[in-house]
Structure formats: C-alpha cells, structure tokens
C-alpha cells in the first residue's frame, strides 16, 4: 500500500518550534487536500489542521490556531506542518494524511504517513 | 465542533466470534448531496491508522468482507462477523462533513 513518507523524529525544548515534512511518492498534492493528525502517547487521534493546495486555503483546529502553519510545495510534492511555542503536552506522533479529493470535507483520509514523533522536553 | 462518541471503549473477543462497535455523532452526518460522511479506521499496534469503511458502509479496497458498517444520521455501527487475530488494535470512527474533522475516542479490541 502506498504510504506517505515523513521526516524523522525530533526533540525540541519548550517554547521552540518544529517543522515536519511529508512527501507523496510518485504523486502530487496539486489536487488533493492534506491533513495533519496527532496522537499523544497512549491517546486517540486529534486533527490538527489541513490544507487545500488548489486554492491555498488552510483550516486549523481552534486549539492550534496561531501556533500551527501548514503549507505545501506543489512542485516538489511535499507538505509541511510547523508548530511553534511548543509545550510538553505537544509531545506526540504527528501524521500526515491525504484526502481522497480536493477538499478537506467530504473525503476520507488515505494514505497516511508513517508518523513523526515530536518530543518536547527541557 | 462535532463530537464523536464510541461504545464500548474496550472489547475482548474470542477468535471466530462477532464484535460490534457503536459510534454516535452530536450532529447528523448526512450531507445535502445525500451522502453520509462517516468513516471507520483501524490502528494496529505500532502502525498508522488504515481506512476500513467509507461513507458508512463501503469497504475500502482490500478490506475483508467480515467487516461491515451500517447506520444513518447520528448512529453508526461497525461489525466484525468473525474476529481474527489480525483484527487486534484500536478502531476509530471519524466524520468529515465539516471541519474540524473529528474522531471518536477509539475502541480497543483484543483477543481473549
């Protein structure tokens, strides 16, 4: 099964930022939306936000507004999620997941990346 | 935001026996286009979530036919007709009728 390829694990100090990348082998993000979902240790799945590359529109979950920036580089088939002002409770595995259509709504998420562990610790 | 709830939160099943998971949404997931945007995922231990069911009852490519989904509006069910060892993991329902996309808390399934 095709899987998105994410960048490796990161360790950051509280207050700093992290940028995670996601690559779609053999395809582009020109037409499909991309979401980022996180999973804290032992916890469930939480949608962070997403981007509609066709219109360069982003949507973020309210709790991350002002701290997260999701972008794509359509020419290199990469998507990025940057999270700033990191806190210890941001420690989680962050997944990228591609929508089955151009919009974040009304589409399923598949495939997913393998996940990137971000650890926030002093 | 649409709140998704699941019951039970954990389930221990004898191989070969059926299993059923309920998912409820705080708002109807029926869209004006006639489709209902409810999905089921399985996250096996140490793996990324994988799509099982889309739009309530449609099995995704490669998903065994022992998995089935049903429901409408705000009440949905995932059924496994005969649980196998490889079905162990956490099952999530998810809605995409509006952003933010939201997930249920997950139902952990293990084998007796």
């Amino acid at each position: 099964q095709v899987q998105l390829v994410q960048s490796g694990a990161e360790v950051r100090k509280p207050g700093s930022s992290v940028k995670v990348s996601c690559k779609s082998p053999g395809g582009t993000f020109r037409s499909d939306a991309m979401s980022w979902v996180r999973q804290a240790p032992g916890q469930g799945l939480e949608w962070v936000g997403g981007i509609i590359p066709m219109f360069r529109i982003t949507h973020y979950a309210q709790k991350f507004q002002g701290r997260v920036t999701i972008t794509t580089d359509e020419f290199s088939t990469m998507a990025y999620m940057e999270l700033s002002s990191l806190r210890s409770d941001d420690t989680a595995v962050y997944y990228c997941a591609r929508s089955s259509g151009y919009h974040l709504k009304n589409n399923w998420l598949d495939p997913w990346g393998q996940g990137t562990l971000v650890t926030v610790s002093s | 935001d649409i709140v998704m709830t699941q019951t039970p939160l954990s389930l221990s099943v004898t191989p070969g026996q059926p299993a059923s998971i309920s998912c409820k949404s705080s708002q109807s997931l029926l869209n004006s286009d006639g489709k209902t945007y409810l999905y089921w995922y399985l996250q096996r231990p140490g793996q990324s979530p994988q799509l099982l069911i889309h739009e309530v009852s449609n099995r995704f490519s490669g998903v065994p036919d022992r998995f089935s989904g049903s429901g409408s509006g705000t009440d949905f069910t995932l059924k496994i007709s005969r649980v196998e060892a490889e079905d162990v993991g956490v099952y999530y329902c998810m809605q995409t009728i509006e952003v933010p996309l939201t997930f249920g808390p997950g139902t952990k399934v293990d084998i007796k």
Side-chain angles (χ1 to χ4, degrees):
Chain A
Q1 183 183 357
V2 173
Q3 190 175 45
L4 305 179
V5 179
Q6 298 182 222
S7 50
E10 303 272 12
V11 179
R12 292 286 186 271
K13 293 191 183 300
S16 65
S17 298
V18 68
K19 191 171 185 176
V20 181
S21 69
C22 172
K23 183 176 177 65
S24 179
T28 72
F29 298 126
R30 290 188 74 92
S31 59
D32 295 335
M34 183 71 68
S35 281
W36 288 87
V37 175
R38 79 176 187 180
Q39 186 170 39
Q43 301 301 307
L45 302 172
E46 179 178 34
W47 189 75
V48 175
I51 187 166
I52 304 171
M54 186 179 291
F55 303 114
R56 301 263 185 195
I57 293 172
T58 53
H59 291 275
Y60 303 126
Q62 189 169 7
K63 71 179 288 186
F64 300 105
Q65 286 277 1
R67 287 206 303 138
V68 67
T69 303
I70 295 173
T71 56
T72 62
D73 176 353
E74 62 188 286
F75 299 105
S76 64
T77 73
M78 298 288 286
Y80 304 91
M81 184 216 61
E82 184 170 21
L83 189 62
S84 62
S85 302
L86 289 168
R87 307 186 288 255
S88 57
D89 62 359
D90 290 319
T91 294
V93 174
Y94 289 78
Y95 295 99
C96 59
R98 188 167 171 174
S99 287
S100 55
Y102 83 94
H103 206 291
L104 294 166
K105 299 191 306 180
N106 304 345
N107 290 298
W108 62 73
L109 299 180
D110 185 85
W112 293 57
Q114 83 276 18
T116 297
L117 174 62
V118 175
T119 303
V120 183
S121 174
S122 54
Chain B
D1 298 1
I2 295 177
V3 177
M4 307 295 288
T5 58
Q6 290 180 231
T7 54
L9 296 182
S10 66
L11 198 51
S12 190
V13 188
T14 301
Q17 293 301 301
S20 180
I21 300 169
S22 172
C23 172
K24 295 183 188 298
S25 57
S26 60
Q27 300 171 212
S28 175
L29 303 184
L30 174 63
N31 197 34
S32 56
D33 63 6
K35 295 183 179 180
T36 300
Y37 291 103
L38 183 281
Y39 304 86
W40 289 98
Y41 287 85
L42 164 61
Q43 186 176 32
R44 294 190 172 105
Q47 295 186 17
S48 305
Q50 61 182 90
L51 179 65
L52 295 176
I53 302 287
H54 61 93
E55 287 98 38
V56 180
S57 59
N58 300 286
R59 277 188 302 277
F60 191 57
S61 176
V63 174
D65 61 8
R66 63 178 182 275
F67 290 94
S68 64
S70 63
S72 63
T74 61
D75 291 351
F76 307 94
T77 302
L78 176 70
K79 292 184 178 178
I80 310 173
S81 59
R82 295 173 304 280
V83 172
E84 297 187 5
E86 66 177 18
D87 301 336
V88 164
V90 182
Y91 291 78
Y92 296 94
C93 57
M94 181 190 78
Q95 66 79 22
T96 70
I97 195 171
E98 67 175 43
V99 289
L101 309 187
T102 49
F103 296 87
T107 295
K108 186 174 183 179
V109 173
D110 63 25
I111 299 295
K112 282 184 181 176

